[in-house]
Structures are given as structure tokens and as C-alpha cells.
Amino acid sequence: MEREGDGEEPTGNLKRLDSAEDPGCPPLACEHSGSLEQEEPAMMRKNDNYLPVPGEEKNLDVNFVNTNARSSESVPMKSLYADDGSPLCPRLGPYFSDGHRRVDYVLAYHIQKPSSIRRQSSRFGENNFIRRLRRSLSMRSSRAPLQPKEDPEIAAQEQRADYHEDDKRFRREEFEENLLEMGLELEKDEGSKIPGIGFLKIHAPWNVLCREAEFMKLKMPTKKVYDVKQGSNVVEKIRLFIHKVTAPLHPKVDANRPQSVKSLSHAFSREKQHLFDLSDRDKFFDSKTRSSIVYEVLKRTRCTRAKYSMGITSLLANGVYSAAYPLHDGDIEGANAEPNDRKLLYEEWASYSVFYKYQPIGLIRKYFGEKVGLYFAWLGVYTQMLIPAAIVGVIVFLYGCATVDDNIPSMEICDPRNNITMCPLCDRACSYWKLVTACGTARASHLFDNPATVFFSIFMALWAVLFMEHWKRRQMRLNYVWDLTGFGEEEEDHNRAEYEFRVMQKTMRQENSTPKSEKVKLTCTDRLPAYLTTVVMMGFMITVTFAIVFGVILYRISIKAALHMSTYPAARSNIRATVKTTAAIINLIIIIILDEIYASIARWLTTLEVPKTDKSFEERLIFKTFILKFVNAFTPIVYLAFFRGRLVGRPGNYLYVVGSYRMEECAHAGCLMELCIQLCITMLGKQLIQNNLFEIGIPKLKKLLRRRKSELDSKQEEELNKTLQRHEKDHILGPFVGLSPEYMEMIIQFGMVTLFVASFPLAPLFALLNNIIEIRLDAKKFVMELRRPIAAKAKDIGIWYNLLRGLSKVAVIVNAFVISFTSDFIPRLVYQYMYSHDGTMHGFVNHTLSYFNVSDFQPGTDPLQPMHLGYKVQICRYKDYREPPWSSTPYDLSKEFWAILAARLAFVIVFQNVVMLMSDFVDWLIPDIPKDISLQMHKEKILMVELFMKEEQGKRLAARDNQNQDNCTSPSSANQSLPQPRSRPVSHANCS
């Protein structure tokens, strides 16, 4: 329950701050950037209560306590008494000390125990203050503060100027005075159980909520409701049937149930309050909307001094305030936990026991806002769409398992009667080997390299298009249900604090040369050094990634030679598998480490560019981070898929790098198996270690370290936690850092699922299993471990949709090249239809092997143990299409090589164009807006026009009735109005 601004006095001995009552308060230079305060009546200040709660220390702030309070002992918050002498026991929920007014927002700040009472001195003189401020600003001129994402507190984590404590306190006074001018009600709590932290609790009364809701054009439900129809009768029956069948999968949340009626929504207006249902003013604006309204006021409120305007982000970045956050609704666990949306989310969403249920998207949006709601809705759609992809991928894998014994090429490799002697895999240390030893690798390769993988690649390309279309339709449906259809067209984005700081610096430099009427802004010339730094650093980081991948290549080459030279039989038993697995694990560790480094570098580069708005900052940061992380994750995979085994040379003329390192060859069955191992380890490792283990382990480790530092045991800490106020409990939680990390890990996963799916058909299954855990893990993190984010409106997922669409297009091309160049699908087809005598695959292995005369080895490259097999080898075989040594052009590329190359290129062109055409056809076939939603939106517009026409008609009738009533009550004046003969019959008729 909230109390409106009725002008009553504060409860007990709490005193309202008024600068007129405090002669020690210095003149303030605070002003508001908007023009709304001019619209407020003069009585606004009388209705706004500022309630400082004295702490356990005396005289913490001489400006906020009256004379009597200074001379008496400070009273802790628990022992305050009301006017009637009854004890005032504040509720532990998100309320002021009176237990009625809701805390809509909290600002936290550091307080120090003063050694003596700090009184106003000459340090607070106007000139001295300006000089200190200019000096402080010049100290930080070379460093820009960190850009906040969703929570403005993130700005306080970097680049804090070392303001004197008095300066910080004086700035807080300025800012809080200005908040009072805006109509907000404030209450201080400096006697909290968190040492060294003071809290400023903010409450927005009803008139402020109405004013700001009108200014922000918030759509609110009106009294007018209408029936919602999902489509034709058949569609409606099918929908109801499906809903009944899937009823056990739906969470027990009212907000998630289908609504048969919907309220007509309209932008809130104080002049049209009669259109809205204001029977319960406490629930008309929910907690999410109230906190977002207060945050908008905080963003627009400025304190100016020495030409430098400081808003909430600047105050946080400079340490004037240490944190800013809205409060959670209540507790989750405990016998005293009252029913609230947070507890309901914990029970029906953030629990692993409900992993099989749908998400309560409506309640998520109601509690966290549209932006968070859209993320979890998108993640839910993506996870649902992975189910058919995972099923088809498992079927493809099982098909490979079922047909492995019927695969003629692998049977020929495993047949010891063929007695094929292969050339050494490395110089000197490696000797000749039998092809039959590659039997296991050949059989395993067939599990992923079979005709079904081509079908699966086409299926996944169409799946990606269907996923994008399904999400667009789901997004439009959510926009309609959440009343976001007209959002974003007239939205203004506030300038970032760093941008205004740089503009202020430029203004001070040019104040003598630039006319005052000309508006100063940052141009491309001002940002040119930052842009050049970005280009150079991005290029350098990508080069570092390539260099590290090359280092892993050298590791594989050297460790293979070392294992071949080893005298331990165990080390030489399975060299190829050992090298593959260890190299993939090294790649994974490097990827995880570089991901964290690249994220910091991308943020630093984006900060250097000084984007004007938060949206611009976010998009630039996302693009840089995506480029660096994408290159980091996929460079080893691209090398294995398209470069390994192609830059090798041939026996007697191998390609060497860094002196004597001979480039790697693929196994006889191709590089697809190694590509599969790299994808599997990278995908599983990133999901288990980077996504899940870090998200679970790091918060628990921080909690353990906090407990170690604390002198209380677990029981004492639990008892203390029960007595903490809501704002104190939320202060202990971690700050919300935005949705970009959550989106980024899913986008990289989407790339793993679609780009190289031809080599790893089980990728959708692993992604599905990860996402089932990821949804509940993120839910638990949002509900339990993070402060409540500021509710941000959004009608789509922004730049992430463009990245997804781009990845789905690139996936078609990549899979075409994987099938044609990495797998043996095209060589098998060419052999079967051009070179096979009986149209079967018999003889394919011999067809793919070329001959080499061992006498043609370069000096110093022949094996040290030529008699390793027990006999002298004259001719060895290697995988390539080259002329034999006895031909007229020995070791030149054969005509079979060129025929297969032409077939590979033709397949790429045909596959790419056919799949793209099918994708575009599916995109055109499925409308972006569901038909029933389109009809409902049209119906809403008609009903809105009718509503306003009726309102205007009612106003005209009321005005006419008033006029006629006036005419009836004054007949003498009607008789005297002789020049108006038309009005008399009407008035007489109405009077009768």
C-alpha cells in the first residue's frame, strides 16, 4: 500500500529536509534537464517528505539532522516511536520506515566514521569548490568511465575519480535536493547492519507516477476489454486441445494462462484518467513500472557546477554513490516469506525440478521487464526448435552405426588380405605402416561421414530458416500481448555520461573560439584516434589467435614425432588419438582464456570510441565481442576442416614450416573425424566449463570467500540475514551486468550447431541438453543471486537477430564446402559413377592411393628403421591423386584429381543455390505476423477509435446539456436575446 502526497508530517521524530530550515546548507547549483518541473504546482514541495533515519553514530551528517537531534543521542531505527507513543516497527519488506510507502529505488553510498564533526568551512567556498572540481576533472580527463549496461552501478566498477569525501557528500546533497524538487520522497538509512554503507530509499508518490507515465507514454490497460479469438473455429479447437494435452507442462502461474479477454491499452494521460481502472492505485503501477519510472527521473536529473553536468551514471562512476538498484519483491525461502512474484518465479521457474515445464514468460516480463522476458522467450523457442534437430541428428548417427559393417571402403581398409604398405607419416622417426592399422579410424569416420550427413546438412539449413521465422512470429505475438506494437517509434535515448564529459572538455577548450549559439558535439575527427586504435587492436588480436592456432599445429607435429621415437609401447600404441585429444583440449583451454581477455579488450575499445547513447554503445560492444570470440572459437575448426591435409605436398617433396616441421596429413579416412573430435571437445568444454561451471562455481566461491572473511558462523549469519531489511539483502547480491554475455554464449553455440553440423550430427543434442540446464541456471541466477535489473522495454532482440540470420546464411556455404572438400562424399560419388567397373564401391580405397618409389626420398628424410615391417619396402602408398613413378610425368596431379575437383566445385554451387532457394521460399511462405494477431491488432485500432469517438460525443452532449441547463435557469436572459431566434425553440423544448 502506498500513501499519496497528502502533506502529512513525518512519523515520530523523523524530520523532513528543507534547505530553508538549514542555514548551514550551501547554495546549490542543481537543475533539471527536462522541462517537467515547470509543470508542477507550487504545493509539490510541501507534499514531499525527506526522512533521514539517524544511525548508531552521532552526527553523521550535520546537514540532515535538526538542532535537537544534534544535541541528543541518535536513536536506532528499531526503537523509533510514532506520535501516539506506540513503537514503530518497520516491515522487513521493501517499504519506508512507516511500513506503508513502497521503496521504488535505492541508492547506496559509503559513509565514514568521522573523527570530529565536519562543519561548513572555507573549503566549501564557491571558488575553492570549482577549483577542486576542475582539478578532479583534469585528473580523469585521460580516462573515460565504464559504460553501464542495464544496471547503472556497473559504471562504478572502473575509472573512479578520487573525490574528497566532503565533495562526495556535497554532491549527494545537490542531487538529493533536486530529486525532492522532482517530487520524489526520500528516506535515509545510515544505521544499517552493513558497516560503512548508507542507503537512500526513494519513493515515487502517485502524482509523480502519473506525471512520468504520461511523459514516458507508458501504455496502461483501460477499462475497455474485448474478446480475444485465436482464429477460426477449427484452429481454436485445435489450440484448446493442444493446451489441454500439454496442461501438465504449463507452470502454475496465472500470467501464463491463455486469456480469453484482453484490456485495451492506451498511453497514460492524466486528462483521461477516467478511461483507466484506478480502483486500486497501489496495483495500477506494478513494482517493475515504478522502478523504471524512478530510474527515468534519476537519469534526467542533473547537478551542474563549473559547466560539468553530473547525472546518476557520473555520480556512480565517480564514487559519489556506490550502487543503484530497484528492490526485489520479497524473500524466497523461510517461514515468514510472504507470497510474491519472486517466490513464485523461484518455485515455478528457477528450480531444476520443473525443467520439463514451459517458462512463465508472462510473469518473467512482469517482474524483470520486456528485455529480459524477450531473452528467455527467445531461449525457450531456440531450445524447443532444437528438439526435432536433435532427433534427426541422432537418427543420422544411428544410421551410420547401423551401416558401418556394410560400408565397403572401411571393409577394404580393415581387410588384412589387401596388404597395403603406407608411406611414413613423419620424417626419420616414423617408419612404414600397414593400412589395416587404420581400421578403427575408418569405421569411426563412417559414423559421421555417410550419405545421411548430406541430407542432415540440408535439413539443418532449412531448420535455421524455420527457427528464424518461428521466432519472428512468436516475437510479434509477444509484442501484441505485451502492448509493444507501437513501441520504439518515438523513444529517445539519453546521452551517456562519458559522452557528455568529453563534450564538456571540448567546450572548455573551444569556449573562446566557438560561438555560444553553436552546439558542441563529438565528430568523427574527434574519434579518429579511437577508431584507428580499434582497427589496429582488432587486427592484432585476430593475428594472435592465428598465431596460437599455428602454435598448436607445431605442438601436434612435434608430439607426434616424439611419440614415434618413444621406447614405451603404451605411448606408441595409439599415437593419433593421443595427439588429437590433447591438441583439442589445449585449444579449448586457450579459447576459454582468450574469451575473457577479448571481452575486456572489446569493452575497452568501445569505451575509447565514446558512443553517444547506451544503445550505440551496446551495439558496438556486441559487434566487437562477437568478431573476436567467433574467430577465437572457430579458427581451429576452420583449419581442420579446410586447410589441414591440403598444404602437405607429397613424399619426396613435402612442405616444411619453421625449418624442419613437416605439415600435418589427414588420416586415410579424411580429416572429418578429427574435426568431429575438435567440435565435440570445444562445444562440450565451453558449455560445461565456461557457461555452467563458471556461472555456478564463481558465485559460490565468492560467497565462500565472504563467509571466510566474516567473523560469524553460518548460524549467526543466517540469523543476521533474517533481521536485514530488503535493501540490505539486495545490496549483498551481485550487480546485474546485462544480457550480452547470455546472448553471446548462445550465439556461439548456434554457430557450433549450424556451421559444421555435417561433421558432427550430435551437436543439436548436446546443445539441447545444455540449454535445458542453462534456462534453469540463468533463472536461478536472476531470481536468487543478482540484484533486480531495471525493467527495460524492447520489442525485439536487436542486433542479435541480425547475427543469427548472418550465421544461418554462412552455414549453408560452410556445410557445402565441408561435404565437398572435407568428407569423401564427392570422391565416392565420382568413383562409383565414373571409374567403378561394376557400379559399386569395390576398389575405391586402391583408387584413392598413389604410388611412391622409396628411392625418391630426399636425403635425410627416409625412415631410420626401414625394416620395421620385417621386409624391405620398394613402393609405398599415400593418399592423393597423382601419377605413378613409372609414368611419363611422375608425381604430377592426375586427371582423376581434376575431375573430382570439378565435381566438388559443382556440388558447392548447386548445394548452395538449391538450399538458399529453398530457404527463401520457406521465408516467403511463412508470414512474419500470424494472421490472428494481425486481425486482433486491426480490431484494437478500431476499438480505440470507437472509444475516443464515444468520449468526444459524450463531451459534446455534456457541453450541450450544460448550455441548455444554463438557458433554462435564466429565462429572462433568453427572452432578452431577440437577435437569436434559432436558440429559443430548442431551449423551450428542453425546458418543458
Side-chain angles (χ1 to χ4, degrees):
M1 178 179 178
E2 74 170 1
R3 191 188 307 173
E4 299 176 23
D6 51 5
E8 63 180 293
E9 290 297 321
T11 308
N13 60 349
L14 304 180
K15 183 72 175 176
R16 178 175 65 87
L17 174 68
D18 195 333
S19 58
E21 296 177 11
D22 192 353
C25 184
L28 303 176
C30 296
E31 65 182 20
H32 187 260
S33 58
S35 59
L36 288 176
E37 63 181 350
Q38 297 175 0
E39 302 173 7
E40 288 299 297
M43 292 293 292
M44 178 66 72
R45 288 296 307 278
K46 295 181 180 180
N47 299 334
D48 299 329
N49 296 332
Y50 182 75
L51 307 176
V53 179
E56 298 178 1
E57 297 295 331
K58 292 190 293 184
N59 305 316
L60 285 177
D61 197 337
V62 296
N63 292 324
F64 296 113
V65 186
N66 59 17
T67 308
N68 296 331
R70 286 195 195 100
S71 59
S72 62
E73 193 73 13
S74 297
V75 183
M77 198 170 172
K78 289 184 180 179
S79 60
L80 294 175
Y81 289 86
D83 291 335
D84 57 359
S86 60
L88 180 64
C89 298
R91 295 165 63 181
L92 292 180
Y95 297 96
F96 273 22
S97 58
D98 58 12
H100 296 290
R101 286 171 295 172
R102 184 182 182 88
V103 177
D104 299 318
Y105 214 85
V106 170
L107 300 179
Y109 54 91
H110 293 287
I111 55 177
Q112 294 182 349
K113 292 184 178 181
S115 57
S116 60
I117 300 175
R118 291 193 178 107
R119 300 188 181 275
Q120 303 296 333
S121 63
S122 60
R123 291 183 299 175
F124 287 91
E126 181 77 17
N127 296 330
N128 288 336
F129 179 82
I130 294 176
R131 280 201 299 271
R132 283 202 317 278
L133 179 58
R134 287 178 183 267
R135 193 185 315 121
S136 300
L137 295 177
S138 64
M139 288 171 60
R140 70 190 289 265
S141 61
S142 61
R143 304 181 298 174
L146 180 65
Q147 156 65 18
K149 288 186 178 180
E150 298 299 328
D151 192 333
E153 185 202 344
I154 304 305
Q157 294 181 357
E158 280 188 6
Q159 312 296 352
R160 293 175 182 267
D162 188 18
Y163 281 102
H164 193 276
E165 198 63 31
D166 289 332
D167 294 334
K168 293 180 182 179
R169 186 162 57 94
F170 185 57
R171 291 200 173 279
R172 286 198 295 269
E173 294 173 18
E174 290 184 87
F175 191 69
E176 290 157 13
E177 267 299 307
N178 207 19
L179 292 180
L180 286 172
E181 292 290 342
M182 288 303 300
L184 298 177
E185 297 180 2
L186 311 177
E187 181 181 82
K188 268 196 173 182
D189 181 6
E190 293 186 347
S192 67
K193 294 182 175 60
I194 302 178
I197 299 294
F199 296 96
L200 179 71
K201 296 180 281 188
I202 304 175
H203 168 77
W206 174 255
N207 47 14
V208 174
L209 293 173
C210 293
R211 182 194 69 203
E212 295 297 324
E214 182 176 355
F215 178 74
M216 295 165 63
K217 300 178 181 177
L218 294 181
K219 275 192 171 184
M220 304 302 293
T222 62
K223 297 177 183 178
K224 177 71 175 178
V225 295
Y226 64 96
D227 295 331
V228 177
K229 293 184 179 180
Q230 299 291 336
S232 61
N233 293 331
V234 177
V235 175
E236 183 74 9
K237 289 179 181 178
I238 294 174
R239 186 188 66 82
L240 291 175
F241 174 76
I242 294 174
H243 187 76
K244 288 181 180 179
V245 172
T246 60
L249 303 180
H250 290 277
K252 300 176 182 178
V253 176
D254 292 335
N256 209 56
R257 294 173 184 169
Q259 297 178 349
S260 57
V261 294
K262 183 178 183 292
S263 296
L264 198 63
S265 296
H266 186 260
F268 186 81
S269 172
R270 286 175 291 182
E271 295 180 355
K272 297 182 174 63
Q273 288 192 27
H274 58 280
L275 296 178
F276 303 94
D277 184 10
L278 303 180
S279 57
D280 189 352
R281 291 188 173 186
D282 294 336
K283 294 182 180 180
F284 184 73
F285 294 108
D286 57 16
S287 59
K288 170 209 46 158
T289 307
R290 297 175 67 98
S291 62
S292 62
I293 287 175
V294 173
Y295 180 58
E296 283 296 318
V297 176
L298 291 174
K299 283 201 299 185
R300 293 202 318 271
T301 305
R302 302 286 179 190
C303 283
T304 58
R305 176 76 74 162
K307 298 184 180 179
Y308 180 43
S309 174
M310 295 187 73
I312 184 62
T313 52
S314 299
L315 295 172
L316 284 163
N318 292 317
V320 178
Y321 291 104
S322 60
Y325 51 91
L327 296 183
H328 281 293
D329 275 359
D331 291 323
I332 298 171
E333 300 168 334
N336 297 328
E338 298 179 357
N340 56 73
D341 288 342
R342 187 189 183 197
K343 186 176 181 181
L344 189 59
L345 282 172
Y346 174 74
E347 295 170 350
E348 296 294 331
W349 180 49
S351 174
Y352 292 111
S353 61
V354 294
F355 73 93
Y356 60 93
K357 289 188 177 183
Y358 292 109
Q359 299 182 86
I361 297 298
L363 186 60
I364 297 170
R365 173 252 179 178
K366 177 186 175 185
Y367 192 78
F368 292 109
E370 285 77 8
K371 199 167 188 177
V372 176
L374 278 175
Y375 163 70
F376 282 103
W378 173 84
L379 185 56
V381 170
Y382 173 46
T383 305
Q384 283 181 341
M385 290 295 292
L386 281 173
I387 295 175
I391 292 173
V392 176
V394 171
I395 292 173
V396 169
F397 178 74
L398 294 177
Y399 170 80
C401 295
T403 58
V404 67
D405 293 330
D406 300 330
N407 183 39
I408 296 175
S410 61
M411 291 170 61
E412 289 183 347
I413 292 174
C414 296
D415 190 355
R417 294 174 296 176
N418 288 330
N419 195 28
I420 298 175
T421 303
M422 302 296 292
C423 295
L425 295 173
C426 62
D427 293 343
R428 303 297 287 170
C430 304
S431 186
Y432 306 105
W433 57 286
K434 289 290 186 180
L435 182 60
V436 70
T437 59
C439 174
T441 305
R443 290 173 64 85
S445 295
H446 179 73
L447 303 179
F448 305 99
D449 187 5
N450 56 69
T453 57
V454 180
F455 157 76
F456 190 53
S457 299
I458 298 173
F459 170 81
M460 288 303 294
L462 297 178
W463 172 87
V465 177
L466 287 172
F467 163 59
M468 304 298 289
E469 291 301 312
H470 180 32
W471 168 244
K472 281 196 292 187
R473 292 169 63 85
R474 172 70 169 155
Q475 188 173 261
M476 286 304 302
R477 190 175 295 277
L478 291 176
N479 283 344
Y480 162 72
V481 174
W482 294 350
D483 296 315
L484 296 172
T485 49
F487 174 75
E489 297 172 359
E490 300 179 359
E491 295 298 314
E492 62 169 335
D493 205 351
H494 298 279
N495 293 344
R496 297 174 61 247
E498 293 84 348
Y499 178 83
E500 294 181 349
F501 176 74
R502 288 286 296 274
V503 169
M504 182 274 299
Q505 287 183 316
K506 186 176 179 181
T507 304
M508 294 178 67
R509 289 194 304 265
Q510 299 179 355
E511 57 185 3
N512 296 327
S513 58
T514 306
K516 291 185 178 181
S517 59
E518 184 178 345
K519 187 177 181 181
V520 179
K521 62 180 181 179
L522 296 184
T523 61
C524 291
T525 307
D526 299 322
R527 294 189 174 101
L528 186 59
Y531 290 153
L532 292 176
T533 305
T534 298
V535 173
V536 172
M537 284 299 297
M538 293 281 286
F540 176 71
M541 290 295 103
I542 293 173
T543 306
V544 167
T545 303
F546 291 161
I548 291 174
V549 171
F550 184 70
V552 176
I553 295 170
L554 297 182
Y555 160 80
R556 274 201 294 256
I557 296 170
S558 58
I559 201 68
K560 183 188 293 183
L563 290 175
H564 274 288
M565 297 174 65
S566 175
T567 57
Y568 294 100
R572 303 185 60 174
S573 61
N574 206 347
I575 295 174
R576 195 180 291 272
T578 304
V579 172
K580 290 176 189 174
T581 307
T582 55
I585 292 173
I586 291 172
N587 270 324
L588 170 65
I589 295 172
I590 292 171
I591 287 171
I592 292 175
I593 294 172
L594 288 182
D595 267 356
E596 302 302 318
I597 297 173
Y598 287 168
S600 302
I601 291 174
R603 179 173 295 279
W604 173 66
L605 292 175
T606 309
T607 306
L608 283 182
E609 294 176 5
V610 197
K612 185 176 181 180
T613 62
D614 288 345
K615 183 179 180 181
S616 175
F617 182 95
E618 186 180 27
E619 289 181 349
R620 295 186 187 199
L621 176 62
I622 289 169
F623 182 74
K624 293 182 184 67
T625 309
F626 173 75
I627 292 294
L628 292 176
K629 289 194 173 185
F630 183 85
V631 171
N632 181 38
F634 287 97
T635 298
I637 299 171
V638 170
Y639 164 74
L640 287 174
F642 303 125
F643 295 99
R644 183 176 178 180
R646 284 164 183 79
L647 305 173
V648 178
R650 60 171 179 82
N653 188 22
Y654 282 114
L655 176 66
Y656 294 89
V657 293
V658 194
S660 59
Y661 287 95
R662 194 178 105 185
M663 288 299 291
E664 300 177 283
E665 297 180 55
C666 289
H668 178 76
C671 284
L672 204 67
M673 189 62 195
E674 296 186 32
L675 177 61
C676 175
I677 292 173
Q678 180 69 56
L679 264 171
C680 181
I681 292 178
T682 303
M683 188 173 182
L684 290 178
K686 277 180 68 67
Q687 291 178 168
L688 291 176
I689 298 174
Q690 191 175 26
N691 298 350
N692 295 336
L693 189 61
F694 281 9
E695 291 185 8
I696 296 174
I698 290 179
K700 289 188 178 297
L701 184 62
K702 290 180 178 179
K703 190 175 182 180
L704 181 63
L705 291 175
R706 279 201 308 266
R707 188 171 294 176
R708 285 283 182 90
K709 291 180 181 179
S710 175
E711 298 178 355
L712 304 176
D713 56 26
S714 58
K715 288 186 177 179
Q716 290 175 329
E717 187 176 349
E718 186 177 348
E719 290 297 324
L720 177 63
N721 190 54
K722 290 180 180 179
T723 62
L724 290 178
Q725 298 288 321
R726 179 76 265 154
H727 58 275
E728 295 169 332
K729 293 179 181 178
D730 286 6
H731 187 269
I732 300 173
L733 302 177
F736 176 67
V737 295
L739 292 168
S740 292
E742 315 296 337
Y743 272 115
M744 188 63 69
E745 64 186 60
M746 289 295 107
I747 296 295
I748 297 297
Q749 185 202 85
F750 181 80
M752 295 278 184
V753 168
T754 56
L755 287 179
F756 295 93
V757 73
S759 62
F760 191 37
L762 293 179
L765 176 64
F766 290 151
L768 173 63
L769 297 176
N770 172 79
N771 288 4
I772 291 173
I773 301 172
E774 181 75 20
I775 289 175
R776 306 304 163 180
L777 186 64
D778 284 347
K780 191 178 288 287
K781 182 173 65 176
F782 271 76
V783 173
M784 297 184 63
E785 298 172 3
L786 296 179
R787 294 173 191 161
R788 189 174 184 177
I790 300 159
K793 281 188 176 292
K795 66 184 301 184
D796 52 40
I797 60 175
I799 192 175
W800 300 109
Y801 180 82
N802 298 329
L803 294 177
L804 286 169
R805 195 169 183 82
L807 281 176
S808 62
K809 297 292 184 184
V810 174
V812 177
I813 303 172
V814 170
N815 282 300
F817 276 94
V818 168
I819 293 169
S820 60
F821 284 90
T822 308
S823 74
D824 279 340
F825 177 73
I826 299 301
R828 286 197 296 261
L829 280 182
V830 172
Y831 174 79
Q832 185 174 1
Y833 293 105
M834 289 184 64
Y835 299 105
S836 177
H837 299 292
D838 54 1
T840 65
M841 294 302 296
H842 289 286
F844 172 73
V845 173
N846 186 64
H847 178 76
T848 59
L849 297 176
S850 298
Y851 295 88
F852 179 74
N853 192 331
V854 298
S855 62
D856 294 332
F857 273 123
Q858 290 182 350
T861 61
D862 55 318
L864 291 173
Q865 299 177 347
M867 299 296 291
H868 173 69
L869 296 177
Y871 59 89
K872 187 177 181 180
V873 177
Q874 299 291 337
I875 297 292
C876 65
R877 310 291 294 274
Y878 62 98
K879 188 175 182 181
D880 205 348
Y881 292 95
R882 291 183 181 270
E883 297 291 343
W886 52 80
S887 70
S888 58
T889 55
Y891 308 125
D892 284 353
L893 295 172
S894 64
K895 61 179 182 180
E896 288 87 354
F897 171 82
W898 299 109
I900 291 173
L901 179 62
R904 282 173 164 166
L905 294 175
F907 177 83
V908 169
I909 295 172
V910 172
F911 181 90
Q912 174 186 337
N913 285 281
V914 169
V915 175
M916 289 284 192
L917 183 63
M918 294 171 65
S919 302
D920 292 340
F921 176 73
V922 171
D923 191 357
W924 169 80
L925 191 64
I926 302 175
D928 294 345
I929 305 177
K931 186 177 180 181
D932 60 313
I933 295 299
S934 179
L935 294 174
Q936 297 294 343
M937 291 167 61
H938 182 66
K939 182 179 179 180
E940 261 197 4
K941 292 180 180 178
I942 295 175
L943 290 174
M944 188 63 69
V945 171
E946 290 179 355
L947 181 65
F948 280 101
M949 290 296 292
K950 288 182 179 179
E951 183 188 7
E952 291 298 322
Q953 186 178 3
K955 285 183 178 179
R956 288 197 299 268
L957 290 175
R960 187 184 303 170
D961 291 342
N962 291 335
Q963 181 182 1
N964 294 339
Q965 187 176 1
D966 292 341
N967 292 336
C968 292
T969 54
S970 55
S972 59
S973 60
N975 294 332
Q976 293 174 1
S977 57
L978 296 177
Q980 300 177 355
R982 294 183 181 178
S983 62
R984 282 198 296 269
V986 177
S987 62
H988 290 314
N990 289 334
C991 291
S992 61

